[in-house]
Amino acid sequence: MKQIKTQLLLLCMLLLPLQMMASSRYEGKMDIPATVLEHLSDAYEWHIATVEGKHISVPLPIIVRNSETGEWTFCTPHHLPQPFFFNKEHHGKIYQTMADGTVQRPLDLSITKVVAQIWIVVFVLLVVFLSCARWYKGRDAKSEAPKGFVGLMELLITTLLDDLIKPAIGEAKYHKFAPYLLTVFFFILTSNLIGLIPIFPAGANITGNINVTLVLALCTMVAINVFGNKEYWKEILWPDVPVFLKAPIPLMPLIEIFGIFTKPFALMIRLFANIMAGHAVILSFTCVIFLGWSMGVGFGVGLNIFGVLMLLFMNCLEFLVAFVQAYVFTMLSAVFIGLSQQEHHAE
């Protein structure tokens, strides 16, 4: 009986976006691409639902700097003063009308939906890890093994250390990079899982935002190149290849230098594309259900059943993808860092 109640609760949570999206604007012709892009993009307010044409949303603080006067403006999206305005041609970002009539983008430090969701993820991670740290306080190696959630966290961290981080970086140097790699893994995992919950204050597309994946990739790039040893830089600037491939034309060094930037670029695009595509497919099937409602009982019922089944399937699949993408990003980061820590071994 408890399992049935749990399944019904999960089903209601997965189908809640249907109620949230249901509004008078869907009574007419539905623009599915525009609807999907609207829910995937960042925003200056957190839209919760639309009831009888009225939007229920939480306004987020806007912080912009006037490019001409240097003054800072603090407001909400509903009280944005002149000369600032929301530019619909640039995904609703804030722009400023200058004195000469030109339009340019001011310095924008606003708390958008993605930023607010990142703070929520950080808060969740702090609660989780501080709770685990509190359990270990006062215990030693002879104490009994943890159970429940703390035991699950220990199992997951131990698996990542023993099966991923240590083999990739090495026993001698993995301690220096383990905190970063574990932080990246749990941040991506928590962001992906919270992004699948269609209830406020969750559901934001964090790792499907290329700015977030860019910062994560840049952090890995810094860890690789700033802490890389001399053997790593020797292999880049003067690799062990025939001399004509590196002098007088530095062909191989140029290729290796180019590789410094392609590695984090691949990390950025891989995570961004997979998460964004998953969210887009889920939203598309949600729109298919509304499309079926507008087609009447005959054809619409079959289309609705198909849409609901595919929606449930995609949510289950994205739950798996949330773990896979966090693991892949951490694994590739560990491999790239390990390559920058290799020592020269004489034959």
Side-chain angles (χ1 to χ4, degrees), residues 107-313:
L107 178 59
D108 189 356
L109 301 180
S110 304
I111 308 300
T112 61
K113 182 172 68 173
V114 171
V115 175
Q117 188 74 90
I118 290 175
W119 285 4
I120 294 174
V121 170
V122 171
F123 175 77
V124 171
L125 291 177
L126 286 175
V127 171
V128 169
F129 288 111
L130 290 178
S131 300
C132 294
R134 184 181 304 171
W135 187 94
Y136 283 102
K137 188 177 181 180
R139 289 179 169 86
D140 53 23
K142 296 181 180 180
S143 303
E144 63 176 353
K147 299 178 182 179
F149 181 75
V150 178
L152 176 63
M153 293 297 296
E154 180 177 316
L155 174 63
L156 185 56
I157 293 174
T158 303
T159 302
L160 290 172
L161 286 174
D162 295 339
D163 298 341
L164 176 61
I165 298 176
K166 285 183 182 179
I169 301 177
E171 290 279 349
K173 298 184 178 181
Y174 83 94
H175 299 87
K176 183 166 59 175
F177 302 99
Y180 164 69
L181 293 172
L182 290 174
T183 301
V184 166
F185 174 82
F186 284 105
F187 174 79
I188 296 176
L189 176 61
T190 307
S191 300
N192 293 345
L193 293 178
I194 290 181
L196 294 176
I197 302 175
I199 303 174
F200 175 82
N205 188 28
I206 297 180
T207 49
N209 187 307
I210 198 167
N211 296 311
V212 176
T213 59
L214 171 62
V215 173
L216 293 174
L218 288 176
C219 291
T220 298
M221 182 179 177
V222 170
I224 294 171
N225 297 285
V226 172
F227 300 100
N229 57 21
K230 62 180 181 179
E231 293 296 332
Y232 167 73
W233 286 107
K234 177 182 177 300
E235 288 297 324
I236 291 178
L237 302 176
W238 196 257
D240 293 331
V241 295
V243 177
F244 69 88
L245 291 176
K246 50 189 177 183
I249 300 176
L251 179 61
M252 288 303 298
L254 288 177
I255 295 176
E256 293 293 340
I257 292 174
F258 183 71
I260 293 176
F261 301 97
T262 56
K263 290 175 183 177
F265 179 79
L267 287 175
M268 174 187 70
I269 295 299
R270 184 191 302 273
L271 179 60
F272 159 72
N274 281 280
I275 300 303
M276 187 191 68
H279 280 260
V281 172
I282 290 175
L283 290 169
S284 298
F285 280 120
T286 304
C287 293
V288 166
I289 297 174
F290 283 99
L291 187 63
W293 283 348
S294 64
M295 292 183 177
V297 178
F299 184 74
V301 170
L303 188 61
N304 285 344
I305 294 175
F306 170 76
V308 170
L309 292 177
M310 291 303 299
L311 182 62
L312 294 175
F313 170 75

